[in-house]
Amino acid sequence: VRLIDGSGSPVSKAETDQSYVIEVECECRRDFPSISVGYRVQSADGTVVCGASTRLLYEDVKASTGESITVAFSFRCRLLPGRYHVSG
């Protein structure tokens, strides 16, 4: 999982009210005629505060054995100040 800023550079911290891309990379160990790829943002105490998936966005993703796929999600940071973790 990578957080990418508006200039296309990976970053480790997000700033409030800025736009980012969250990239989730998957390596497939078998064929998937349809797969849901997603991410979630959790607060320091583990509470899920937001997220998205290809299934929720009605995006059809297919993958073959051995294939590496990357799915990109638009993300506008509207989080309160604090520590958060992004996972795929």
Side-chain angles (χ1 to χ4, degrees):
V1 177
R2 290 181 292 278
L3 182 64
I4 309 296
D5 68 12
S7 68
S9 299
V11 294
S12 60
K13 295 181 182 179
E15 294 184 30
T16 301
D17 209 34
Q18 296 298 309
S19 293
Y20 298 90
V21 171
I22 295 175
E23 291 183 340
V24 180
E25 186 174 356
C26 304
E27 185 174 319
C28 300
R29 295 189 176 146
R30 66 180 183 95
D31 289 342
F32 289 98
S34 180
I35 186 173
S36 180
V37 178
Y39 75 90
R40 65 183 177 187
V41 178
Q42 293 176 268
S43 62
D45 69 0
T47 302
V48 176
V49 294
C50 66
S53 74
T54 54
R55 179 164 290 141
L56 291 173
L57 297 172
Y58 302 102
E59 296 288 334
D60 189 35
V61 178
K62 300 175 185 174
S64 301
T65 303
E67 183 179 11
S68 180
I69 61 170
T70 301
V71 179
F73 297 91
S74 296
F75 174 71
R76 181 83 174 180
C77 183
R78 292 193 168 94
L79 302 170
L80 296 173
R83 296 184 63 84
Y84 298 89
H85 176 74
V86 180
S87 60

